[in-house]
Each structure stands twice: as structure tokens, then as C-alpha cells.
């Protein structure tokens, strides 16, 4: 069944079922999302700049088309249900994103990351993570801030990280190396957050820069346990955050909407897979793997509600649709395995 489904069920048990965890699940989720940043750092270390360049067509073409087509389809569907066009557009982009945490964790557990379908799914997830806006800055400052942050990550990763880690290794204290590894990722995430870019994207870029470093294996060994713990915590907060009161009141509507999201995204993704030459079981892996909504949907819902784009009661129902689609993802992978 995979560990993801186990963590989600555990979250339901300690949250809605026994009441051991309440509203603090949302606060914990913000910290636990750092596990996604660590995971993308480790994934980046499995690649090198040449491999990343080879992915450019699927990264931009496949990723861009997936977000555009899915957002357009979801917007039209929401508008047909009587929502205002502003609300419909917000809902469209909300459901155009997929769950980086669940998909990459499941692909890694099943050894499917290096397959054609897994690489294509990763390209789309990376494009989605790169979608971010810089607020309160004019266009030229936005561009300079983004380029400056990326240049700093590349230069520091290539020229400064090696002398730093050599100095740390000479100390002979393993805990200092662990601290330096964590601070490297935290620093990159903080830098990306300053320019309102995705911290996960910055961590991935740093991982690619360090892919050929002599300290690669030590970095992986130090970061892996923290990544695993934080991702497990993240999945549990998703399960603990399900509001069974709202779900019981309109379970049929929420379940049908979650099903509509999964089926709609699967059809769009399968069409794109066919267009890009991803056929057979690899096409199904790509389509079923990305058919859910993503964790960033919770952030977009909060932001949209605060800015009165989406009404609070609608946001509650939509958050359950997002959570339920994520909950069903491990079952979609089982369908892929068995069928």
C-alpha cells in the first residue's frame, strides 16, 4: 500500500477520529512542508546540469501545457456551476497543481523515478513549483531579484560550498557536518522566500549544482532522515486536517468533485502524454500519478479567502476536495500496478 497511505490514515486517526490533534495541524503543516524542500534537494543531487538541460522540452512544453489546459478546464467547469469568473479562475489554478510530496515519495518508494513516466511527471511537478509571483516589486525589480537569487545559489553552491564542507570535515565532528548540511538548505529556502520564489525550486537547483560534489553521499546520508520524518509529518497533517463535520454534511458533492478532478486531470494528462510520445504503461503512470490536487492548494485557498476571492464556506469544501484527491492518490498507484 505504500507509506503515504499509512501516514494519511494515521493522521485521520489522531485527528478527526480521536481528537488528539486539532487546529494545530495547519500550523504543523507549514513546518512539515520543509520536507518537500529537502526531497527536491536530494532529487537534484541525482541529476547534473546536462540531465536537466535534456529535460527542457518536457519541463517547459509538457509542464506549461498541463498547467494551462487543466486551469482552463477547471475554470470553465467552476464557472458553469455558477461561480463568479474571479472565483472560477482561482479554482482553476488551484486544481491545476499536483502534489509534489505524495507523487515523488511514492515514485521513489516504488523505484519509478528513473522511468519515462516518472521523469515526465517530475518535469511537470518542477514546472509547477517554479510558478510563483514576486509581490510589491515592479517588473524590472522582479526580474533582477529572481536572476540575482538564482545566480547566488549557483555561485555559492559551486565555489563556496566545497571549501566550507572541507573545513567542517576537518573538525572531525559529524554533528557539525549535519548542522552545516541543514543550514545550507535552510539558507537557500530563506533566500528564495525573500524573492517569493519556491524554496523547493531553489533547493532543487542547489542539489543539481552539488550533484558532482565529493560530499554528495555525506549530504544525502545527513539529509535523508530529516526528509523522511518531515514528509511523514506532512502526510499526517493532511489526514488530521480533514473536517469530518463538513464532509458528513455534503459527502456526496465533495466525493463527486474529487472524482471529477481526478478523472478530468487524468484525461488531460493522458492526451498530453500521447502528444509527447509517452505511450503504454508509462503514459498511464504519468497520467494517474499527477491526477490529484496539490498541497499548495491549501496555501492558495487561504490566500484567496483572505482576499475575498473565494467565500469561506466554499473554501472549506474545496479544501476537502483537495485533501480527498490526495488521499486517493496511493490507490491510483495501486490501480497502475495491478491493472
Amino acid at each position: 500500500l505504500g507509506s503515504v497511505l499509512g501516514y494519511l490514515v494515521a493522521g485521520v486517526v489522531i485527528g478527526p477520529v480521536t481528537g488528539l490533534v486539532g487546529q494545530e495541524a495547519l500550523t504543523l503543516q507549514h513546518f512539515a512542508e520543509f520536507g518537500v524542500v529537502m526531497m527536491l534537494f536530494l532529487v537534484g543531487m541525482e541529476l547534473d546540469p546536462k540531465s536537466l538541460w535534456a529535460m527542457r522540452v518536457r519541463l517547459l512544453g509538457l509542464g506549461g501545457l498541463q498547467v494551462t489546459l487543466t486551469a482552463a478546464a477547471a475554470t470553465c467547469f467552476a464557472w458553469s456551476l455558477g461561480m463568479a469568473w474571479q472565483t472560477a479562475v482561482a479554482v482553476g489554478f488551484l486544481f491545476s497543481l499536483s502534489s509534489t510530496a505524495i507523487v515523488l515519495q511514492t515514485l521513489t518508494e516504488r523505484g519509478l523515478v528513473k522511468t519515462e513516466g516518472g521523469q515526465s511527471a517530475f518535469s511537470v511537478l518542477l514546472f509547477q513549483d517554479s510558478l510563483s509571483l514576486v509581490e510589491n516589486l515592479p517588473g524590472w525589480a522582479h526580474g533582477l531579484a529572481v536572476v540575482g537569487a538564482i545566480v547566488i545559489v549557483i555561485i555559492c553552491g559551486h565555489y563556496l560550498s566545497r571549501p566550507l564542507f572541507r573545513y567542517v570535515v576537518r573538525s572531525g565532528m559529524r554533528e557539525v557536518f549535519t548542522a552545516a548540511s541543514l543550514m545550507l538548505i535552510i539558507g537557500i529556502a530563506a533566500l528564495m522566500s525573500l524573492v517569493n520564489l519556491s524554496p523547493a525550486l531553489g533547493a532543487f537547483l542547489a542539489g543539481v549544482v552539488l550533484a558532482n560534489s565529493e560530499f554528495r553521499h555525506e549530504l544525502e546520508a545527513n539529509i535523508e532522515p530529516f526528509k523522511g520524518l518531515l514528509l511523514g509529518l506532512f502526510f499526517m497533517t493532511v489526514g488530521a486536517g480533514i473536517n469530518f463535520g463538513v464532509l458528513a454534511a455534503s459527502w456526496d458533492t465533495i466525493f463527486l468533485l474529487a472524482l471529477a478532478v481526478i478523472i478530468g486531470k487524468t484525461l488531460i494528462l493522458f492526451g498530453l502524454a500521447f502528444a509527447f510520445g509517452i505511450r503504454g504503461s508509462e503514459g498511464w503512470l504519468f497520467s494517474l500519478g499527477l491526477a490529484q490536487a496539490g498541497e499548495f492548494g491549501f496555501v492558495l485557498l487561504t490566500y484567496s479567502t483572505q482576499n475575498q476571492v473565494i467565500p469561506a464556506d466554499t473554501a472549506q469544501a474545496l479544501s476537502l476536495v483537495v485533501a480527498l484527491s490526495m488521499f486517493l492518490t496511493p490507490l491510483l498507484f495501486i490501480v497502475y500496478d495491478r491493472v
Side-chain angles (χ1 to χ4, degrees):
L1 294 176
S3 67
V4 174
L5 187 59
Y7 284 128
L8 290 168
V9 171
V12 171
V13 172
I14 66 173
V17 175
T18 61
L20 295 174
V21 176
Q23 289 293 350
E24 65 269 26
L26 294 175
T27 306
L28 285 171
Q29 197 169 78
H30 294 304
F31 293 100
E33 282 174 355
F34 201 71
V36 181
V37 176
M38 292 183 168
M39 177 168 60
L40 278 173
F41 176 78
L42 293 174
V43 170
M45 293 188 74
E46 297 296 324
L47 299 171
D48 55 36
K50 287 182 180 179
S51 302
L52 188 60
W53 178 252
M55 293 168 57
R56 66 190 185 281
V57 174
R58 289 183 180 178
L59 181 64
L60 298 175
L62 194 56
L65 283 172
Q66 183 275 322
V67 171
T68 303
L69 294 177
T70 308
T75 298
C76 292
F77 182 73
W79 187 63
S80 71
L81 294 178
M83 293 184 179
W85 71 267
Q86 297 95 330
T87 305
V89 170
V91 170
F93 279 101
L94 167 74
F95 289 113
S96 70
L97 306 177
S98 304
S99 175
T100 303
I102 289 180
V103 175
L104 285 186
Q105 177 73 1
T106 308
L107 288 174
T108 302
E109 285 182 3
R110 294 172 182 266
L112 297 171
V113 175
K114 299 293 185 181
T115 63
E116 186 183 15
Q119 287 289 293
S120 300
F122 173 67
S123 298
V124 172
L125 291 170
L126 192 59
F127 180 85
Q128 291 177 2
D129 283 333
S130 68
L131 293 178
S132 180
L133 297 176
V134 178
E135 299 172 9
N136 304 321
L137 286 177
W140 63 269
H142 172 186
L144 284 177
V146 170
V147 172
I150 292 173
V151 168
I152 289 172
V153 169
I154 293 173
I155 291 176
C156 291
H158 189 73
Y159 293 105
L160 300 183
S161 64
R162 287 173 173 82
L164 169 66
F165 285 119
R166 287 193 193 103
Y167 177 76
V168 170
V169 166
R170 283 202 300 270
S171 72
M173 301 172 69
R174 184 174 178 82
E175 62 271 23
V176 178
F177 192 95
T178 302
S181 305
L182 290 173
M183 288 306 299
L184 173 70
I185 300 178
I186 292 169
I188 292 165
L191 176 64
M192 289 294 155
S193 297
L194 282 176
V195 295
N196 277 5
L197 278 178
S198 165
L201 179 66
F204 170 76
L205 185 60
V208 172
V209 173
L210 291 169
N212 297 319
S213 168
E214 64 266 36
F215 301 106
R216 170 186 160 183
H217 297 297
E218 288 86 353
L219 282 167
E220 289 176 340
N222 280 281
I223 298 300
E224 185 70 38
F226 294 97
K227 184 263 299 184
L229 287 170
L230 286 171
L231 279 181
L233 179 62
F234 170 77
F235 298 136
M236 284 192 281
T237 60
V238 172
I242 295 177
N243 189 328
F244 270 66
V246 177
L247 183 61
S250 51
W251 67 270
D252 50 348
T253 303
I254 290 168
F255 183 78
L256 286 174
L257 284 174
L259 210 57
V261 169
I262 290 172
I263 293 173
K265 291 188 75 172
T266 300
L267 291 174
I268 292 171
L269 288 161
F270 195 76
L272 288 173
F274 186 83
F276 278 79
I278 309 167
R279 308 290 167 82
S281 64
E282 298 295 340
W284 282 112
L285 173 62
F286 171 73
S287 305
L288 292 173
L290 296 176
Q292 75 295 119
E295 55 272 0
F296 194 64
F298 299 122
V299 179
L300 287 178
L301 278 173
T302 303
Y303 182 78
S304 301
T305 306
Q306 289 172 348
N307 288 275
Q308 299 172 340
V309 176
I310 298 179
D313 54 341
T314 304
Q316 267 197 326
L318 290 176
S319 68
L320 283 174
V321 174
V322 172
L324 189 57
S325 72
M326 293 170 70
F327 207 99
L328 293 173
T329 301
L331 302 181
L332 294 178
F333 276 98
I334 294 173
V335 170
Y336 167 76
D337 283 338
R338 301 293 172 87
V339 182

